[in-house]
Amino acid sequence: MEDKSAAESLISRFQIERLLNQDQSDRRIALLGHIDGKQGILIAERAAFATDSLEVLRAFHSSDNDIYKWYMANASSPVNGDYGSSPPDLKLNLIWPCTAQHIRKYSAQPVRMVTETPQIYREYIRPYMQQKREEGRLNWIFNILEGRTEQDDVLLRDKGDSPDEDGFLMLPDLNWDRKTISSLHLLVLVERRDIWSLRDLKRRHIPWLKYLRQRLIDATVKTYEGRIEEDQLKMYVHYQPTYYHFHVHVVNVMLEAGQTQAVGKAFGLENIIGQLEAIAGDDEAGMADVSLSYFLGEASELWSTVYEPLKKGEKL
């Protein structure tokens, strides 16, 4: 109850500053605000979001990991003072305290398609990844991997043949309501820390990737037995990812394909395996040796510090 009260108090203390973004179907909005003088981002999702319901948000279930918190909530008024009498119709994600990078990520902005050559990756993107990892932004992932937070949510923890290299765990994604199978979205975090993104994948990783793929399919079908089948699942990784620790998304193929699943953001796991098999060279040849095209928001650091100057012919 103390945790519940503390979680609810954060939502009630959230002071809205401005709307960052709203999707075209009005199912998801991102709001910038502050709690106790520290900026935060509140993301709310529902089937048909009513903006006049902001005053009656009330959380009754929550999870907390570092700066990331999520809630299930009601947007309707209580019945005789009892919020528990009606099912939750909102999923709230709170990032607090948030960083300038979070604000850029969730703000509405024009996007650009860029092509990252092996040279650009080596000279500019890899050092950028190193910098972000050293800033401590992976603490929430390590909290989960090392058993400090969200352990009740872990659906599968597989140590594999070699815990240092093959282990992984699977849990519900922050954006899934955990009950609607048609919008199933699971997140897979690998134990190994030498793979930051798909750029680190090499031909020698093909057996591991195939093992990982099959274990994820088997575990998902078993966990939701009778509700989903193998050919109703798809798996992908993001590039550029939000955080530089290799992870895989497992979703229902019926999940509405928003920007996170769009071409230029999501790379299918099966396609990555196939591309690695087709790459010429020895076992050390891999995804760092090919050019990749993807989109970036104009507010992103990579656009403003790397690709825009390159486009203008400026020296970085």
Side-chain angles (χ1 to χ4, degrees):
M1 290 301 295
E2 290 180 0
D3 291 341
K4 177 176 179 293
S5 297
E8 290 184 353
S9 71
L10 287 178
I11 298 299
S12 63
R13 285 152 48 204
F14 185 86
Q15 301 295 309
I16 298 174
E17 297 176 18
R18 61 184 171 91
L19 177 69
L20 290 179
N21 203 1
Q22 183 171 4
D23 68 19
Q24 294 180 348
S25 59
D26 291 337
R27 294 182 58 183
R28 189 172 191 247
I29 64 173
L31 302 164
L32 178 65
H34 59 272
I35 302 173
D36 300 339
K38 297 178 181 178
Q39 281 192 312
I41 296 173
L42 183 65
I43 304 158
E45 301 179 65
R46 61 171 296 175
F49 193 87
T51 55
D52 59 0
S53 65
L54 293 176
E55 291 76 20
V56 293
L57 295 178
R58 178 67 178 263
F60 72 90
H61 182 64
S62 65
S63 178
D64 185 350
N65 183 355
D66 196 43
I67 65 172
Y68 300 96
K69 303 163 180 65
W70 69 266
Y71 309 81
M72 295 303 296
N74 291 93
S76 58
S77 299
V79 178
N80 297 324
D82 180 16
Y83 280 94
S85 61
S86 58
D89 56 1
L90 282 178
K91 174 73 161 47
L92 304 180
N93 298 329
L94 177 64
I95 305 173
W96 180 76
C98 70
T99 65
Q101 184 175 4
H102 288 118
I103 297 174
R104 287 192 293 268
K105 175 185 175 181
Y106 289 102
S107 296
Q109 58 188 290
V111 297
R112 303 278 187 152
M113 285 298 297
V114 300
T115 297
E116 182 181 295
T117 65
Q119 180 183 0
I120 291 176
Y121 170 69
R122 289 192 303 270
E123 295 184 7
Y124 308 116
I125 308 302
R126 184 71 178 187
Y128 174 85
M129 292 180 176
Q130 176 77 42
Q131 174 193 344
K132 296 306 174 186
R133 284 177 59 90
E134 291 175 352
E135 289 176 357
R137 296 183 182 178
L138 298 179
N139 289 341
W140 70 276
I141 293 179
F142 299 149
N143 285 341
I144 299 174
L145 292 175
E146 296 169 6
R148 291 190 290 270
T149 60
E150 299 189 47
Q151 297 309 290
D152 291 341
D153 295 330
V154 174
L155 302 173
L156 171 68
R157 184 182 288 273
D158 190 326
K159 286 298 184 182
D161 298 325
S162 173
D164 293 337
E165 292 189 355
D166 298 337
F168 65 88
L169 58 81
M170 181 169 69
L171 68 164
D173 186 83
L174 191 67
N175 295 314
W176 185 42
D177 67 6
R178 307 187 178 209
K179 61 181 181 180
T180 309
I181 292 297
S182 62
S183 60
L184 174 78
H185 191 163
L186 305 176
L187 178 66
V188 180
L189 304 173
V190 303
E191 296 274 2
R192 61 191 303 163
R193 304 189 184 188
D194 59 324
I195 301 179
W196 300 357
S197 74
L198 64 80
R199 280 294 201 182
D200 289 310
L201 295 174
K202 304 178 185 297
R203 286 178 55 85
R204 61 182 169 87
H205 294 128
I206 292 174
W208 172 67
L209 290 171
K210 289 183 175 180
Y211 167 82
L212 178 64
R213 176 186 177 276
Q214 192 58 50
R215 284 292 291 124
L216 297 183
I217 291 174
D218 294 343
T220 304
V221 171
K222 181 178 179 180
T223 300
Y224 302 100
E225 188 173 0
R227 303 177 68 190
I228 198 163
E229 299 178 18
E230 178 175 341
D231 57 3
Q232 293 177 300
L233 297 172
K234 65 179 177 180
M235 286 161 280
Y236 60 86
V237 301
H238 285 144
Y239 196 79
Q240 287 281 328
T242 304
Y243 46 92
Y244 297 110
H245 179 96
F246 190 68
H247 55 285
V248 180
H249 295 267
V250 181
V251 303
N252 190 318
V253 295
M254 295 296 293
L255 179 63
E256 184 177 342
Q259 192 177 59
T260 61
Q261 295 186 57
V263 173
K265 178 66 174 180
F267 292 72
L269 184 59
E270 292 87 353
N271 292 338
I272 292 173
I273 294 173
Q275 189 167 1
L276 286 171
E277 290 176 326
I279 290 177
D282 58 19
D283 282 351
E284 291 303 306
M287 298 299 291
D289 304 317
V290 301
S291 294
L292 295 176
S293 294
Y294 53 91
F295 61 77
L296 289 173
E298 289 185 357
S300 72
E301 284 184 273
L302 285 179
W303 172 255
S304 61
T305 64
V306 178
Y307 288 102
E308 186 176 26
L310 286 176
K311 179 181 179 180
K312 294 179 178 179
E314 298 173 356
K315 186 176 181 180
L316 277 68

